[in-house]
Amino acid sequence: MTSSNWIKIIIALALGAALGVIYGWAIDPIEYTDVTPGILRADYRADYVLMVAEAHQSEQNSETSARRLALLGSESPAQIVTSTLEYAANNSFTQNQIILPQGLLTAMQTYQPQGNNAP
Amino acid sequence: MRHFLRSIFLHILIALLTGLGIGLAYSWFISPVTYVDASPAILRSDFKDQYRSVIAASYASTRDLARARARLELLGDMDPVGELSAQAQQMQASGESIEVVQLLAQLATDLQRGVVSIPATNTPFVAIVNTPTAEKLTTEEAPQIEATQPVEITPFPTSSFEQTPLAPQQLVTPTARPTFTSIPKPGTPFTLVSQDTICNIDLQPGLMQFTLIDSRRRQVAGIEIIVNWAEGEDHFFTGFKPELGNGYADFIMQSGTIYSVRVAEGGAFVSNIFVPTCTDPNGKEYLGGLLLTFQQP
């Protein structure tokens, strides 16, 4: 086989690989259906933290709030709320939407886990 | 020459297919598309349950029904009310505290009725609405009692995320009508006011239905009912089928078994309950049901 033919074969191989990658990434990518909350989009995460803060406002139960925040990942509850406050500051949240997580942050900063923290 | 051309064409085709396979393997298994901005709709079911619980807890605090509805829509449930009710029942069955279960049941009830039934409170609550008659339980909603004073509904502002599909900002909540609410006085016992045999061939045989109402004839959710029989005992609460009424609950009796019913917290005790026998127009017998109505004095 001549070198010209080898080049044709290599080009065909590369073309096939490129088509395969395009198909697998863009046309029919793997669909995720059972994801964890850790990869929620930032605005959904922020809204989730806001919900926890709203509930905390009336419940005043740091244990419950910390358990709810743990859904979002392995960061400490205070870090999760801090990230949300940063997001809120950069995305024109209303005053009320900032005050509530600030209250939650204060509670999480003073919160000391006790006993079983299983969600 | 012809053989050579066929040979090189075959080689190129095999190379193309091999490349395609390598490309697919790489894009599906070695380096698949990574989700970093997932929506709540694709969360695992147990995470969705927790998400729903937090929505219900937030709603209990803010009383913003439109916002709670929008948040539930993010989960992509076909029937959000049904999902809430089912989750409440599952949590109750798994021994979750009644306060947590009530949050879900209350949100399901309010979504079903389209009204915010109770004011913001940090105590376990029970929403009470007008009682439909026994015959209307499955078909009609109880009318809401309108407040005499106009009530300003100030929706909690929706997050103003630029890229988020969260709840649309609502200046008014047209469906939310204020209702009188009451919390049953602790210790006020429910008494049996009627025990009716229900002969309806369309109902499940042995269906024992309960309706619990307060002194103003409004249905009461979250009341525990205990059913005993020789071999066992069952506990359940009113309000988990909001489509049938906030004070509704039911239980399936077995033929030939004698039951007793007690409304928890000092309520009425009713004994010697069994499946009644009914007769259809052709004279054929079938198993009927019961409707027990309890009321606070």
Side-chain angles (χ1 to χ4, degrees), chain A residues 5 12-13 16-17 24-25 28 30 32-33 35 39 41 43-44 47 50-51 54 58 68 71 87 92-93 96-97, chain B residues 4 15-16 19-20 27-28 31 35-36 38 42 44 50 58 61 71 122 156-161 163-165:
Chain A
N5 288 337
L13 193 69
W25 276 348
D28 185 22
I30 285 181
Y32 290 82
T33 53
V35 304
I39 60 169
R41 208 169 66 196
D43 53 344
Y44 293 129
D47 191 52
L50 183 60
M51 283 193 285
E54 288 168 347
S58 61
R68 287 169 174 158
L71 190 80
Y87 181 88
S92 306
F93 275 38
N96 201 11
Q97 288 171 325
Chain B
F4 174 77
L16 193 69
L20 195 66
S27 59
W28 279 346
S31 178
Y35 276 69
V36 291
I42 60 171
R44 214 170 62 201
Q50 293 184 54
S58 164
S61 174
R71 282 166 164 164
N122 59 353
F156 190 80
T158 303
S159 300
S160 54
F161 312 137
Q163 72 276 45
T164 179

Side-chain angles (χ1 to χ4, degrees), chain B residues 14 20 48 52 78 87 96 109 111 121 123 133 139 142 152 166 172 179 187 203 215-217 235 253 264 266 270 296:
Chain B
I14 290 172
L20 195 66
K48 278 189 176 182
R52 258 184 232 104
M78 296 292 288
Q87 184 179 336
E96 189 67 62
T109 302
L111 285 169
T121 173
T123 56
T133 62
T139 57
E152 272 190 36
L166 296 182
V172 293
T179 59
L203 289 179
S215 57
R216 301 170 73 176
R217 296 192 57 78
H235 295 240
M253 297 180 286
V270 186
Q296 281 183 311

Side-chain angles (χ1 to χ4, degrees), chain B residues 196-216:
Chain B
D196 303 311
T197 298
I198 306 295
C199 288
N200 183 344
I201 198 142
D202 294 328
L203 289 179
Q204 189 168 356
L207 179 66
M208 179 159 51
Q209 301 175 87
F210 301 89
T211 303
L212 274 77
I213 54 180
D214 70 357
S215 57
R216 301 170 73 176

Side-chain angles (χ1 to χ4, degrees), chain B residues 139-158:
Chain B
T139 57
E140 291 185 21
E141 294 292 339
Q144 296 299 309
I145 300 174
E146 299 290 345
T148 54
Q149 295 292 323
V151 178
E152 272 190 36
I153 301 168
T154 309
F156 190 80
T158 303

Side-chain angles (χ1 to χ4, degrees), chain B residues 47-66:
Chain B
F47 291 129
K48 278 189 176 182
D49 287 348
Q50 293 184 54
Y51 205 99
R52 258 184 232 104
S53 294
V54 175
I55 291 173
S58 164
Y59 171 71
S61 174
T62 65
R63 318 310 305 166
D64 190 333
L65 191 58

